[in-house]
Amino acid sequence: MSELIIAIDGPAGSGKSTVARAVAATLGWSFLDTGAMYRSICVEAARQNVSIRNEEAISALAERSIIRVGSRVLINDVDVTEAIRTDQVNHDVSLVATYPSVRSAMVDRQREFADGASVGTVVEGRDIATVVFPNATLKIFLTASLEERGRRRGTEGIESIQRRDEIDQNRETSPLRRPVDARLIDTTDRSVEEIVKEVVSCLESLPLK
Ligand code: CDP
């Protein structure tokens, strides 16, 4: 079991996935994109003709589905790596992510994933430092200007990311919050390399336990 966790949270387009993946590669740690898990449930719901508004059915589907998130994303053995990035999923995912039983099923799997890592895990999402790993080794909160986040998201559009931010910040269960003990990094106008260096040097400057 590994207890080394870098938790990276932040709104859509703040650079979480890019930074988290690069930090993990630099350190030789595992990487977990938790948003991909919530997204995969939307794809599976459409495949099974389950309405995303049916909380009970979506919760049951989330609890019994086998989700694998790595270089490819699979749900119940179907590769959904590309299917999780459509406009429809961008639209549906924040609603599915408000359902408490969906969240608790995903949180259990996220902790299991980190337990199985050989060295440490870089985990990114919305509630990683607050709920999933409140005792993470290092907590990072990424932000960027709305214009920059919209530019990074290209076709998704500013309105869609604002709508998701709004739902993610205001839901009752595990809303997107910046924990007081997280290091805030504004990624606007900064290169990925610079941010990765900052995160790695934060980790290296921690007192050895
Ligand atoms: O990449 P981007 O930040 O746009 O989205 P994502 O990380 O793929 O997450 C998609 C959606 O899943 C978010 O807008 C949240 O509604 C939800 N999510 C969440 O609630 N908790 C997480 N730990 C990760 C994602």
Side-chain angles (χ1 to χ4, degrees), residues 12 16 34-35 39 94 97 103 126-127 153 164 168 171:
K16 297 180 306 291
T34 63
R39 287 172 178 274
S94 287
R103 301 204 69 83
R126 300 289 188 292
D127 58 339
R153 277 309 140 102
R164 281 204 285 133
D168 295 345
R171 67 180 173 227

Side-chain angles (χ1 to χ4, degrees), residues 8-21 31 124-126 142 153:
I8 304 186
D9 294 300
S14 56
K16 297 180 306 291
S17 294
T18 311
V19 168
R21 189 176 280 112
F31 159 65
E124 58 99 349
R126 300 289 188 292
L142 297 185
R153 277 309 140 102

Side-chain angles (χ1 to χ4, degrees), residues 60-170:
L61 182 152
E63 278 155 18
R64 63 168 187 262
S65 290
I66 296 168
I67 302 173
R68 291 203 181 80
V69 180
S71 57
R72 310 290 300 172
V73 179
L74 282 87
I75 184 161
N76 300 324
D77 291 325
V78 178
D79 189 326
V80 293
T81 313
E82 282 81 33
I84 62 171
R85 305 286 164 197
T86 61
D87 288 345
Q88 187 65 50
V89 174
N90 288 335
H91 182 272
D92 293 348
V93 64
S94 287
L95 173 63
V96 165
T98 63
Y99 299 151
S101 40
V102 170
R103 301 204 69 83
S104 76
M106 295 306 110
V107 169
D108 288 348
R109 284 150 202 214
Q110 291 155 17
R111 291 180 180 145
E112 275 167 27
F113 181 98
D115 271 352
S118 46
V119 192
T121 312
V122 185
V123 191
E124 58 99 349
R126 300 289 188 292
D127 58 339
I128 308 305
T130 50
V131 174
V132 190
F133 298 108
N135 298 317
T137 318
L138 177 65
K139 299 180 178 183
I140 304 285
F141 194 90
L142 297 185
T143 57
S145 69
L146 182 61
E147 292 68 34
E148 174 70 14
R149 297 195 289 118
R151 199 183 56 73
R152 289 177 186 162
R153 277 309 140 102
T155 52
E156 181 177 359
I158 284 187
E159 271 171 37
S160 167
I161 63 174
Q162 268 185 307
R163 177 181 163 276
R164 281 204 285 133
D165 288 352
E166 169 90 14
I167 301 174
D168 295 345
Q169 285 160 6
N170 294 307

